[in-house]
PDB file of all heavy atoms in Angstrom:
ATOM      1  N   ALA A 959     -10.126   1.202  18.736  1.00  0.00           N
ATOM      2  CA  ALA A 959      -8.961   1.596  19.431  1.00  0.00           C
ATOM      3  C   ALA A 959      -7.859   0.741  18.927  1.00  0.00           C
ATOM      4  O   ALA A 959      -6.702   1.094  19.190  1.00  0.00           O
ATOM      5  CB  ALA A 959      -9.157   1.321  20.986  1.00  0.00           C
ATOM      6  N   ASN A 960      -8.181  -0.373  18.439  1.00  0.00           N
ATOM      7  CA  ASN A 960      -7.041  -1.254  17.803  1.00  0.00           C
ATOM      8  C   ASN A 960      -6.886  -1.155  16.260  1.00  0.00           C
ATOM      9  O   ASN A 960      -6.381  -1.964  15.656  1.00  0.00           O
ATOM     10  CB  ASN A 960      -7.196  -2.765  18.188  1.00  0.00           C
ATOM     11  CG  ASN A 960      -5.942  -3.633  18.163  1.00  0.00           C
ATOM     12  OD1 ASN A 960      -4.868  -2.968  18.453  1.00  0.00           O
ATOM     13  ND2 ASN A 960      -6.069  -4.843  18.040  1.00  0.00           N
ATOM     14  N   ILE A 961      -7.410   0.006  15.780  1.00  0.00           N
ATOM     15  CA  ILE A 961      -7.290   0.284  14.403  1.00  0.00           C
ATOM     16  C   ILE A 961      -6.639   1.629  14.135  1.00  0.00           C
ATOM     17  O   ILE A 961      -5.672   1.770  13.476  1.00  0.00           O
ATOM     18  CB  ILE A 961      -8.798   0.286  13.595  1.00  0.00           C
ATOM     19  CG1 ILE A 961      -9.377  -1.080  13.768  1.00  0.00           C
ATOM     20  CG2 ILE A 961      -8.567   0.756  12.205  1.00  0.00           C
ATOM     21  CD1 ILE A 961     -10.829  -1.110  13.101  1.00  0.00           C
ATOM     22  N   VAL A 962      -7.211   2.635  14.746  1.00  0.00           N
ATOM     23  CA  VAL A 962      -6.912   4.043  14.528  1.00  0.00           C
ATOM     24  C   VAL A 962      -5.404   4.351  14.925  1.00  0.00           C
ATOM     25  O   VAL A 962      -4.731   4.887  14.099  1.00  0.00           O
ATOM     26  CB  VAL A 962      -7.783   5.013  15.279  1.00  0.00           C
ATOM     27  CG1 VAL A 962      -7.265   6.431  15.120  1.00  0.00           C
ATOM     28  CG2 VAL A 962      -9.300   4.791  14.784  1.00  0.00           C
ATOM     29  N   PRO A 963      -4.895   3.911  16.091  1.00  0.00           N
ATOM     30  CA  PRO A 963      -3.452   4.159  16.350  1.00  0.00           C
ATOM     31  C   PRO A 963      -2.415   3.564  15.455  1.00  0.00           C
ATOM     32  O   PRO A 963      -1.519   4.162  15.011  1.00  0.00           O
ATOM     33  CB  PRO A 963      -3.317   3.546  17.770  1.00  0.00           C
ATOM     34  CG  PRO A 963      -4.678   3.544  18.372  1.00  0.00           C
ATOM     35  CD  PRO A 963      -5.569   3.252  17.293  1.00  0.00           C
ATOM     36  N   TRP A 964      -2.739   2.464  14.857  1.00  0.00           N
ATOM     37  CA  TRP A 964      -2.011   1.795  13.827  1.00  0.00           C
ATOM     38  C   TRP A 964      -2.031   2.618  12.441  1.00  0.00           C
ATOM     39  O   TRP A 964      -1.051   2.794  11.748  1.00  0.00           O
ATOM     40  CB  TRP A 964      -2.331   0.382  13.478  1.00  0.00           C
ATOM     41  CG  TRP A 964      -2.340  -0.350  14.778  1.00  0.00           C
ATOM     42  CD1 TRP A 964      -3.530  -0.852  15.434  1.00  0.00           C
ATOM     43  CD2 TRP A 964      -1.239  -0.750  15.755  1.00  0.00           C
ATOM     44  NE1 TRP A 964      -3.134  -1.536  16.572  1.00  0.00           N
ATOM     45  CE2 TRP A 964      -1.896  -1.454  16.731  1.00  0.00           C
ATOM     46  CE3 TRP A 964       0.102  -0.447  15.595  1.00  0.00           C
ATOM     47  CZ2 TRP A 964      -0.908  -1.917  17.906  1.00  0.00           C
ATOM     48  CZ3 TRP A 964       0.955  -1.006  16.668  1.00  0.00           C
ATOM     49  CH2 TRP A 964       0.373  -1.696  17.753  1.00  0.00           C
ATOM     50  N   GLN A 965      -3.154   3.071  12.134  1.00  0.00           N
ATOM     51  CA  GLN A 965      -3.397   3.891  10.901  1.00  0.00           C
ATOM     52  C   GLN A 965      -2.579   5.222  11.058  1.00  0.00           C
ATOM     53  O   GLN A 965      -1.922   5.689  10.002  1.00  0.00           O
ATOM     54  CB  GLN A 965      -4.882   4.269  10.652  1.00  0.00           C
ATOM     55  CG  GLN A 965      -5.741   3.118  10.247  1.00  0.00           C
ATOM     56  CD  GLN A 965      -7.146   3.505  10.222  1.00  0.00           C
ATOM     57  OE1 GLN A 965      -7.724   4.463  10.843  1.00  0.00           O
ATOM     58  NE2 GLN A 965      -7.959   2.759   9.298  1.00  0.00           N
ATOM     59  N   MET A 966      -2.491   5.821  12.230  1.00  0.00           N
ATOM     60  CA  MET A 966      -1.791   6.984  12.525  1.00  0.00           C
ATOM     61  C   MET A 966      -0.323   6.951  12.218  1.00  0.00           C
ATOM     62  O   MET A 966       0.325   7.715  11.559  1.00  0.00           O
ATOM     63  CB  MET A 966      -2.083   7.626  13.911  1.00  0.00           C
ATOM     64  CG  MET A 966      -3.483   8.026  14.160  1.00  0.00           C
ATOM     65  SD  MET A 966      -3.833   8.329  15.904  1.00  0.00           S
ATOM     66  CE  MET A 966      -3.024   9.891  16.138  1.00  0.00           C
ATOM     67  N   VAL A 967       0.247   5.757  12.626  1.00  0.00           N
ATOM     68  CA  VAL A 967       1.762   5.609  12.468  1.00  0.00           C
ATOM     69  C   VAL A 967       1.964   5.180  10.989  1.00  0.00           C
ATOM     70  O   VAL A 967       2.992   5.513  10.346  1.00  0.00           O
ATOM     71  CB  VAL A 967       2.344   4.626  13.427  1.00  0.00           C
ATOM     72  CG1 VAL A 967       2.292   5.092  14.860  1.00  0.00           C
ATOM     73  CG2 VAL A 967       1.670   3.145  13.398  1.00  0.00           C
ATOM     74  N   ALA A 968       1.015   4.438  10.362  1.00  0.00           N
ATOM     75  CA  ALA A 968       1.149   4.057   9.003  1.00  0.00           C
ATOM     76  C   ALA A 968       1.144   5.280   8.145  1.00  0.00           C
ATOM     77  O   ALA A 968       1.950   5.406   7.129  1.00  0.00           O
ATOM     78  CB  ALA A 968      -0.003   3.087   8.644  1.00  0.00           C
ATOM     79  N   GLU A 969       0.289   6.279   8.391  1.00  0.00           N
ATOM     80  CA  GLU A 969       0.209   7.407   7.510  1.00  0.00           C
ATOM     81  C   GLU A 969       1.443   8.316   7.626  1.00  0.00           C
ATOM     82  O   GLU A 969       1.983   8.978   6.571  1.00  0.00           O
ATOM     83  CB  GLU A 969      -0.893   8.310   8.016  1.00  0.00           C
ATOM     84  CG  GLU A 969      -2.444   7.781   7.674  1.00  0.00           C
ATOM     85  CD  GLU A 969      -3.440   8.583   8.323  1.00  0.00           C
ATOM     86  OE1 GLU A 969      -3.055   9.570   9.007  1.00  0.00           O
ATOM     87  OE2 GLU A 969      -4.641   8.078   8.094  1.00  0.00           O
ATOM     88  N   LYS A 970       2.120   8.217   8.787  1.00  0.00           N
ATOM     89  CA  LYS A 970       3.392   8.934   8.929  1.00  0.00           C
ATOM     90  C   LYS A 970       4.560   8.431   8.186  1.00  0.00           C
ATOM     91  O   LYS A 970       5.569   9.046   7.737  1.00  0.00           O
ATOM     92  CB  LYS A 970       3.686   9.057  10.442  1.00  0.00           C
ATOM     93  CG  LYS A 970       2.960   9.988  11.339  1.00  0.00           C
ATOM     94  CD  LYS A 970       3.255  10.076  12.711  1.00  0.00           C
ATOM     95  CE  LYS A 970       2.428  10.854  13.653  1.00  0.00           C
ATOM     96  NZ  LYS A 970       2.782  10.920  14.982  1.00  0.00           N
ATOM     97  N   THR A 971       4.482   7.075   7.901  1.00  0.00           N
ATOM     98  CA  THR A 971       5.566   6.382   7.244  1.00  0.00           C
ATOM     99  C   THR A 971       5.327   5.736   5.934  1.00  0.00           C
ATOM    100  O   THR A 971       6.304   5.145   5.414  1.00  0.00           O
ATOM    101  CB  THR A 971       6.061   5.297   8.393  1.00  0.00           C
ATOM    102  OG1 THR A 971       4.892   4.293   8.420  1.00  0.00           O
ATOM    103  CG2 THR A 971       6.401   5.816   9.718  1.00  0.00           C
ATOM    104  N   LYS A 972       4.124   5.951   5.486  1.00  0.00           N
ATOM    105  CA  LYS A 972       3.692   5.406   4.171  1.00  0.00           C
ATOM    106  C   LYS A 972       3.671   3.891   4.107  1.00  0.00           C
ATOM    107  O   LYS A 972       3.904   3.154   3.260  1.00  0.00           O
ATOM    108  CB  LYS A 972       4.575   5.827   2.982  1.00  0.00           C
ATOM    109  CG  LYS A 972       4.569   7.465   2.820  1.00  0.00           C
ATOM    110  CD  LYS A 972       5.258   7.825   1.562  1.00  0.00           C
ATOM    111  CE  LYS A 972       5.168   9.340   1.362  1.00  0.00           C
ATOM    112  NZ  LYS A 972       6.081   9.702   0.147  1.00  0.00           N
ATOM    113  N   ALA A 973       3.441   3.371   5.501  1.00  0.00           N
ATOM    114  CA  ALA A 973       3.261   1.980   5.596  1.00  0.00           C
ATOM    115  C   ALA A 973       1.826   1.722   5.310  1.00  0.00           C
ATOM    116  O   ALA A 973       1.004   2.681   5.061  1.00  0.00           O
ATOM    117  CB  ALA A 973       3.598   1.509   6.959  1.00  0.00           C
ATOM    118  N   GLN A 974       1.326   0.470   5.345  1.00  0.00           N
ATOM    119  CA  GLN A 974      -0.138   0.110   5.038  1.00  0.00           C
ATOM    120  C   GLN A 974      -0.723  -0.694   6.261  1.00  0.00           C
ATOM    121  O   GLN A 974       0.070  -1.496   6.796  1.00  0.00           O
ATOM    122  CB  GLN A 974      -0.142  -0.721   3.759  1.00  0.00           C
ATOM    123  CG  GLN A 974       0.061   0.146   2.385  1.00  0.00           C
ATOM    124  CD  GLN A 974      -0.249  -0.770   1.291  1.00  0.00           C
ATOM    125  OE1 GLN A 974       0.418  -1.750   0.962  1.00  0.00           O
ATOM    126  NE2 GLN A 974      -1.331  -0.389   0.505  1.00  0.00           N
ATOM    127  N   VAL A 975      -2.001  -0.614   6.493  1.00  0.00           N
ATOM    128  CA  VAL A 975      -2.759  -1.303   7.254  1.00  0.00           C
ATOM    129  C   VAL A 975      -3.681  -2.174   6.499  1.00  0.00           C
ATOM    130  O   VAL A 975      -4.479  -1.722   5.838  1.00  0.00           O
ATOM    131  CB  VAL A 975      -3.665  -0.456   8.325  1.00  0.00           C
ATOM    132  CG1 VAL A 975      -4.506  -1.345   9.200  1.00  0.00           C
ATOM    133  CG2 VAL A 975      -2.696   0.441   9.202  1.00  0.00           C
ATOM    134  N   LYS A 976      -3.579  -3.449   6.676  1.00  0.00           N
ATOM    135  CA  LYS A 976      -4.476  -4.333   6.030  1.00  0.00           C
ATOM    136  C   LYS A 976      -5.153  -5.283   7.005  1.00  0.00           C
ATOM    137  O   LYS A 976      -4.722  -5.456   8.101  1.00  0.00           O
ATOM    138  CB  LYS A 976      -3.486  -5.286   5.200  1.00  0.00           C
ATOM    139  CG  LYS A 976      -2.891  -4.515   3.930  1.00  0.00           C
ATOM    140  CD  LYS A 976      -2.204  -5.454   2.981  1.00  0.00           C
ATOM    141  CE  LYS A 976      -1.787  -4.636   1.762  1.00  0.00           C
ATOM    142  NZ  LYS A 976      -0.934  -5.478   0.793  1.00  0.00           N
ATOM    143  N   ALA A 977      -6.350  -5.702   6.611  1.00  0.00           N
ATOM    144  CA  ALA A 977      -7.299  -6.457   7.546  1.00  0.00           C
ATOM    145  C   ALA A 977      -7.336  -7.864   7.205  1.00  0.00           C
ATOM    146  O   ALA A 977      -7.448  -8.254   5.976  1.00  0.00           O
ATOM    147  CB  ALA A 977      -8.649  -5.775   7.556  1.00  0.00           C
ATOM    148  N   ILE A 978      -7.316  -8.815   8.140  1.00  0.00           N
ATOM    149  CA  ILE A 978      -7.598 -10.270   7.973  1.00  0.00           C
ATOM    150  C   ILE A 978      -9.201 -10.448   7.967  1.00  0.00           C
ATOM    151  O   ILE A 978      -9.860  -9.773   8.700  1.00  0.00           O
ATOM    152  CB  ILE A 978      -6.990 -11.093   9.154  1.00  0.00           C
ATOM    153  CG1 ILE A 978      -5.544 -10.778   9.209  1.00  0.00           C
ATOM    154  CG2 ILE A 978      -7.185 -12.534   8.874  1.00  0.00           C
ATOM    155  CD1 ILE A 978      -4.969 -11.155  10.599  1.00  0.00           C
ATOM    156  N   ARG A 979      -9.528 -11.186   6.986  1.00  0.00           N
ATOM    157  CA  ARG A 979     -10.965 -11.385   6.864  1.00  0.00           C
ATOM    158  C   ARG A 979     -11.704 -12.049   7.944  1.00  0.00           C
ATOM    159  O   ARG A 979     -11.176 -12.945   8.680  1.00  0.00           O
ATOM    160  CB  ARG A 979     -11.244 -12.276   5.540  1.00  0.00           C
ATOM    161  CG  ARG A 979     -11.048 -11.541   4.179  1.00  0.00           C
ATOM    162  CD  ARG A 979     -11.405 -12.443   3.071  1.00  0.00           C
ATOM    163  NE  ARG A 979     -12.869 -12.645   2.975  1.00  0.00           N
ATOM    164  CZ  ARG A 979     -13.389 -13.922   3.195  1.00  0.00           C
ATOM    165  NH1 ARG A 979     -12.501 -14.995   3.390  1.00  0.00           N
ATOM    166  NH2 ARG A 979     -14.677 -14.088   3.118  1.00  0.00           N
ATOM    167  N   VAL A 980     -12.921 -11.780   8.189  1.00  0.00           N
ATOM    168  CA  VAL A 980     -13.767 -12.546   9.071  1.00  0.00           C
ATOM    169  C   VAL A 980     -14.827 -13.269   8.222  1.00  0.00           C
ATOM    170  O   VAL A 980     -15.387 -12.642   7.323  1.00  0.00           O
ATOM    171  CB  VAL A 980     -14.504 -11.495  10.072  1.00  0.00           C
ATOM    172  CG1 VAL A 980     -15.540 -12.287  10.839  1.00  0.00           C
ATOM    173  CG2 VAL A 980     -13.437 -10.803  10.939  1.00  0.00           C
ATOM    174  N   LEU A 981     -14.940 -14.444   8.620  1.00  0.00           N
ATOM    175  CA  LEU A 981     -16.025 -15.226   7.844  1.00  0.00           C
ATOM    176  C   LEU A 981     -17.416 -14.978   8.215  1.00  0.00           C
ATOM    177  O   LEU A 981     -17.673 -14.216   9.297  1.00  0.00           O
ATOM    178  CB  LEU A 981     -15.734 -16.774   8.232  1.00  0.00           C
ATOM    179  CG  LEU A 981     -14.326 -17.300   7.804  1.00  0.00           C
ATOM    180  CD1 LEU A 981     -14.199 -18.841   8.284  1.00  0.00           C
ATOM    181  CD2 LEU A 981     -14.189 -17.218   6.362  1.00  0.00           C
ATOM    182  N   ASP A 982     -18.431 -15.395   7.480  1.00  0.00           N
ATOM    183  CA  ASP A 982     -19.810 -15.075   7.704  1.00  0.00           C
ATOM    184  C   ASP A 982     -20.287 -15.618   9.156  1.00  0.00           C
ATOM    185  O   ASP A 982     -21.145 -14.962   9.759  1.00  0.00           O
ATOM    186  CB  ASP A 982     -20.758 -15.697   6.626  1.00  0.00           C
ATOM    187  CG  ASP A 982     -20.603 -15.166   5.372  1.00  0.00           C
ATOM    188  OD1 ASP A 982     -20.024 -13.968   5.329  1.00  0.00           O
ATOM    189  OD2 ASP A 982     -20.982 -15.737   4.312  1.00  0.00           O
ATOM    190  N   SER A 983     -19.536 -16.640   9.593  1.00  0.00           N
ATOM    191  CA  SER A 983     -19.901 -17.194  10.964  1.00  0.00           C
ATOM    192  C   SER A 983     -19.303 -16.382  12.096  1.00  0.00           C
ATOM    193  O   SER A 983     -19.799 -16.445  13.226  1.00  0.00           O
ATOM    194  CB  SER A 983     -19.355 -18.610  11.014  1.00  0.00           C
ATOM    195  OG  SER A 983     -17.871 -18.508  11.024  1.00  0.00           O
ATOM    196  N   GLY A 984     -18.527 -15.436  11.797  1.00  0.00           N
ATOM    197  CA  GLY A 984     -17.872 -14.557  12.815  1.00  0.00           C
ATOM    198  C   GLY A 984     -16.499 -15.042  13.111  1.00  0.00           C
ATOM    199  O   GLY A 984     -15.754 -14.454  13.912  1.00  0.00           O
ATOM    200  N   GLU A 985     -16.066 -16.171  12.601  1.00  0.00           N
ATOM    201  CA  GLU A 985     -14.796 -16.772  12.875  1.00  0.00           C
ATOM    202  C   GLU A 985     -13.736 -16.002  12.105  1.00  0.00           C
ATOM    203  O   GLU A 985     -14.033 -15.406  11.029  1.00  0.00           O
ATOM    204  CB  GLU A 985     -14.630 -18.224  12.444  1.00  0.00           C
ATOM    205  CG  GLU A 985     -15.633 -19.057  13.296  1.00  0.00           C
ATOM    206  CD  GLU A 985     -15.576 -20.530  12.767  1.00  0.00           C
ATOM    207  OE1 GLU A 985     -14.721 -21.328  13.017  1.00  0.00           O
ATOM    208  OE2 GLU A 985     -16.480 -20.815  11.886  1.00  0.00           O
ATOM    209  N   LEU A 986     -12.500 -15.980  12.576  1.00  0.00           N
ATOM    210  CA  LEU A 986     -11.354 -15.447  11.807  1.00  0.00           C
ATOM    211  C   LEU A 986     -11.026 -16.269  10.709  1.00  0.00           C
ATOM    212  O   LEU A 986     -10.881 -17.524  11.004  1.00  0.00           O
ATOM    213  CB  LEU A 986     -10.191 -15.034  12.765  1.00  0.00           C
ATOM    214  CG  LEU A 986      -9.036 -14.384  12.156  1.00  0.00           C
ATOM    215  CD1 LEU A 986      -9.501 -12.880  11.888  1.00  0.00           C
ATOM    216  CD2 LEU A 986      -7.829 -14.323  13.057  1.00  0.00           C
ATOM    217  N   ASP A 987     -10.604 -15.740   9.539  1.00  0.00           N
ATOM    218  CA  ASP A 987     -10.224 -16.593   8.444  1.00  0.00           C
ATOM    219  C   ASP A 987      -8.579 -16.680   8.519  1.00  0.00           C
ATOM    220  O   ASP A 987      -7.866 -15.965   8.029  1.00  0.00           O
ATOM    221  CB  ASP A 987     -10.598 -15.791   7.110  1.00  0.00           C
ATOM    222  CG  ASP A 987     -10.180 -16.669   5.878  1.00  0.00           C
ATOM    223  OD1 ASP A 987      -9.434 -17.700   5.937  1.00  0.00           O
ATOM    224  OD2 ASP A 987     -10.856 -16.445   4.937  1.00  0.00           O
ATOM    225  N   TYR A 988      -8.298 -17.892   9.229  1.00  0.00           N
ATOM    226  CA  TYR A 988      -6.838 -17.997   9.447  1.00  0.00           C
ATOM    227  C   TYR A 988      -6.108 -18.287   8.139  1.00  0.00           C
ATOM    228  O   TYR A 988      -4.847 -18.006   8.052  1.00  0.00           O
ATOM    229  CB  TYR A 988      -6.689 -19.321  10.353  1.00  0.00           C
ATOM    230  CG  TYR A 988      -7.137 -19.042  11.829  1.00  0.00           C
ATOM    231  CD1 TYR A 988      -8.393 -19.376  12.210  1.00  0.00           C
ATOM    232  CD2 TYR A 988      -6.377 -18.414  12.672  1.00  0.00           C
ATOM    233  CE1 TYR A 988      -8.976 -19.174  13.394  1.00  0.00           C
ATOM    234  CE2 TYR A 988      -6.841 -18.066  13.960  1.00  0.00           C
ATOM    235  CZ  TYR A 988      -8.051 -18.372  14.414  1.00  0.00           C
ATOM    236  OH  TYR A 988      -8.596 -18.322  15.542  1.00  0.00           O
ATOM    237  N   HIS A 989      -6.682 -18.781   7.069  1.00  0.00           N
ATOM    238  CA  HIS A 989      -5.988 -18.965   5.841  1.00  0.00           C
ATOM    239  C   HIS A 989      -5.694 -17.705   5.201  1.00  0.00           C
ATOM    240  O   HIS A 989      -4.579 -17.507   4.555  1.00  0.00           O
ATOM    241  CB  HIS A 989      -6.936 -19.898   4.877  1.00  0.00           C
ATOM    242  CG  HIS A 989      -7.156 -21.300   5.400  1.00  0.00           C
ATOM    243  ND1 HIS A 989      -6.111 -22.128   5.466  1.00  0.00           N
ATOM    244  CD2 HIS A 989      -8.215 -21.941   5.789  1.00  0.00           C
ATOM    245  CE1 HIS A 989      -6.504 -23.347   5.916  1.00  0.00           C
ATOM    246  NE2 HIS A 989      -7.921 -23.220   6.068  1.00  0.00           N
ATOM    247  N   ASP A 990      -6.644 -16.628   5.345  1.00  0.00           N
ATOM    248  CA  ASP A 990      -6.429 -15.398   4.847  1.00  0.00           C
ATOM    249  C   ASP A 990      -5.275 -14.658   5.644  1.00  0.00           C
ATOM    250  O   ASP A 990      -4.445 -14.025   5.021  1.00  0.00           O
ATOM    251  CB  ASP A 990      -7.660 -14.449   4.906  1.00  0.00           C
ATOM    252  CG  ASP A 990      -7.495 -13.162   4.251  1.00  0.00           C
ATOM    253  OD1 ASP A 990      -7.210 -13.035   3.024  1.00  0.00           O
ATOM    254  OD2 ASP A 990      -7.678 -12.112   4.920  1.00  0.00           O
ATOM    255  N   PHE A 991      -5.170 -14.908   6.935  1.00  0.00           N
ATOM    256  CA  PHE A 991      -4.085 -14.476   7.780  1.00  0.00           C
ATOM    257  C   PHE A 991      -2.807 -14.948   7.223  1.00  0.00           C
ATOM    258  O   PHE A 991      -1.804 -14.233   6.986  1.00  0.00           O
ATOM    259  CB  PHE A 991      -4.441 -14.874   9.230  1.00  0.00           C
ATOM    260  CG  PHE A 991      -3.141 -14.699  10.154  1.00  0.00           C
ATOM    261  CD1 PHE A 991      -2.537 -13.521  10.339  1.00  0.00           C
ATOM    262  CD2 PHE A 991      -2.669 -15.906  10.698  1.00  0.00           C
ATOM    263  CE1 PHE A 991      -1.525 -13.396  11.188  1.00  0.00           C
ATOM    264  CE2 PHE A 991      -1.540 -15.783  11.578  1.00  0.00           C
ATOM    265  CZ  PHE A 991      -0.929 -14.511  11.677  1.00  0.00           C
ATOM    266  N   GLU A 992      -2.686 -16.271   6.988  1.00  0.00           N
ATOM    267  CA  GLU A 992      -1.413 -16.776   6.518  1.00  0.00           C
ATOM    268  C   GLU A 992      -1.030 -16.367   5.206  1.00  0.00           C
ATOM    269  O   GLU A 992       0.220 -16.156   4.822  1.00  0.00           O
ATOM    270  CB  GLU A 992      -1.661 -18.477   6.531  1.00  0.00           C
ATOM    271  CG  GLU A 992      -1.722 -18.991   7.993  1.00  0.00           C
ATOM    272  CD  GLU A 992      -2.270 -20.329   7.922  1.00  0.00           C
ATOM    273  OE1 GLU A 992      -2.437 -20.920   6.963  1.00  0.00           O
ATOM    274  OE2 GLU A 992      -2.240 -20.839   9.117  1.00  0.00           O
ATOM    275  N   ASN A 993      -2.155 -16.121   4.282  1.00  0.00           N
ATOM    276  CA  ASN A 993      -1.759 -15.598   3.011  1.00  0.00           C
ATOM    277  C   ASN A 993      -1.160 -14.195   2.971  1.00  0.00           C
ATOM    278  O   ASN A 993      -0.505 -13.708   2.165  1.00  0.00           O
ATOM    279  CB  ASN A 993      -3.101 -15.762   2.177  1.00  0.00           C
ATOM    280  CG  ASN A 993      -3.418 -17.128   1.712  1.00  0.00           C
ATOM    281  OD1 ASN A 993      -2.512 -18.089   1.787  1.00  0.00           O
ATOM    282  ND2 ASN A 993      -4.673 -17.367   1.415  1.00  0.00           N
ATOM    283  N   LYS A 994      -1.659 -13.431   3.948  1.00  0.00           N
ATOM    284  CA  LYS A 994      -1.289 -12.054   4.033  1.00  0.00           C
ATOM    285  C   LYS A 994       0.061 -11.781   4.721  1.00  0.00           C
ATOM    286  O   LYS A 994       0.584 -10.614   4.614  1.00  0.00           O
ATOM    287  CB  LYS A 994      -2.413 -11.110   4.686  1.00  0.00           C
ATOM    288  CG  LYS A 994      -3.487 -10.933   3.846  1.00  0.00           C
ATOM    289  CD  LYS A 994      -4.567  -9.980   4.569  1.00  0.00           C
ATOM    290  CE  LYS A 994      -5.679  -9.422   3.729  1.00  0.00           C
ATOM    291  NZ  LYS A 994      -6.613 -10.300   3.274  1.00  0.00           N
ATOM    292  N   LEU A 995       0.537 -12.893   5.429  1.00  0.00           N
ATOM    293  CA  LEU A 995       1.899 -12.798   6.053  1.00  0.00           C
ATOM    294  C   LEU A 995       3.043 -12.701   5.054  1.00  0.00           C
ATOM    295  O   LEU A 995       2.943 -13.139   3.956  1.00  0.00           O
ATOM    296  CB  LEU A 995       2.002 -13.851   7.005  1.00  0.00           C
ATOM    297  CG  LEU A 995       1.449 -13.637   8.466  1.00  0.00           C
ATOM    298  CD1 LEU A 995       1.435 -15.018   9.203  1.00  0.00           C
ATOM    299  CD2 LEU A 995       2.012 -12.472   9.295  1.00  0.00           C
ATOM    300  N   GLY A 996       3.995 -12.092   5.506  1.00  0.00           N
ATOM    301  CA  GLY A 996       5.315 -12.025   4.693  1.00  0.00           C
ATOM    302  C   GLY A 996       6.364 -11.173   5.490  1.00  0.00           C
ATOM    303  O   GLY A 996       6.008 -10.528   6.440  1.00  0.00           O
ATOM    304  N   PRO A 997       7.531 -10.986   4.974  1.00  0.00           N
ATOM    305  CA  PRO A 997       8.510 -10.264   5.656  1.00  0.00           C
ATOM    306  C   PRO A 997       8.196  -8.721   5.738  1.00  0.00           C
ATOM    307  O   PRO A 997       8.711  -7.984   6.525  1.00  0.00           O
ATOM    308  CB  PRO A 997       9.810 -10.432   4.865  1.00  0.00           C
ATOM    309  CG  PRO A 997       9.299 -10.864   3.472  1.00  0.00           C
ATOM    310  CD  PRO A 997       8.026 -11.554   3.797  1.00  0.00           C
ATOM    311  N   GLN A 998       7.223  -8.207   4.987  1.00  0.00           N
ATOM    312  CA  GLN A 998       6.792  -6.843   5.045  1.00  0.00           C
ATOM    313  C   GLN A 998       5.922  -6.610   6.192  1.00  0.00           C
ATOM    314  O   GLN A 998       5.737  -5.348   6.541  1.00  0.00           O
ATOM    315  CB  GLN A 998       6.017  -6.492   3.702  1.00  0.00           C
ATOM    316  CG  GLN A 998       4.633  -6.939   3.568  1.00  0.00           C
ATOM    317  CD  GLN A 998       4.441  -8.481   3.168  1.00  0.00           C
ATOM    318  OE1 GLN A 998       5.538  -9.160   3.097  1.00  0.00           O
ATOM    319  NE2 GLN A 998       3.232  -8.952   3.092  1.00  0.00           N
TER     320      GLN A 998
END
């Protein structure tokens, strides 16, 4: 439910949906999050 609606609007506008990595432990990879951020 927190993936598909964003994909739907991305498809209409040629935007992209990208995913932040999850570590093997199940923790969120905050470094990957920071690396993927930008004005886009």
